[in-house]
Amino acid sequence: MEPIKNFLKGFFEYFKQSSTEYIEFELRELENVFALILMASFIGIPSPPTTLVLRLMPHMVKEIKVMQQRAIDLDDVFAEVAGMFDID
């Protein structure tokens, strides 16, 4: 009975870890997209009113850091996504 219990425990731990990684990845992507949408008005793409963007800027420190990190790591986005889904 103990081996089955250990197998199920490992099985559920693996899925818990994988799910957490997917959720963290999606959170980073959503923060990046949110920052890009708000910053789009600065490069001429119609988006939320500039006054709204300026009001939100002080609260967007984390999103701007995520956007900067994504710009640095941008050379291999598809490899990151493929790695998450174990695609060779």
Side-chain angles (χ1 to χ4, degrees):
M1 191 68 176
E2 192 66 31
I4 294 173
K5 193 174 180 180
N6 287 337
F7 171 75
L8 290 176
K9 183 179 178 183
F11 185 74
F12 289 123
E13 285 294 322
Y14 172 76
F15 280 109
K16 184 177 168 183
Q17 182 180 358
S18 297
S19 300
T20 304
E21 289 175 5
Y22 294 148
I23 291 171
E24 288 174 349
F25 178 78
E26 186 172 350
L27 176 64
R28 282 193 316 268
E29 288 300 314
L30 289 175
E31 288 172 342
N32 184 35
V33 168
F34 181 69
L36 287 173
I37 288 171
L38 285 181
M39 300 296 172
S41 64
F42 293 122
I43 59 171
I45 298 173
S47 66
T50 306
T51 55
L52 177 64
V53 173
L54 291 175
R55 285 184 179 178
L56 289 174
M57 287 292 279
H59 306 286
M60 294 187 50
V61 173
K62 182 181 177 188
E63 286 82 5
I64 291 173
K65 286 181 181 176
V66 169
M67 187 173 67
Q68 288 176 334
Q69 189 61 42
R70 292 295 295 164
I72 292 170
D73 299 337
L74 196 59
D75 61 343
D76 210 1
V77 174
F78 292 117
E80 184 179 354
V81 172
M84 276 186 48
F85 293 108
D86 294 329
I87 299 171
D88 293 328

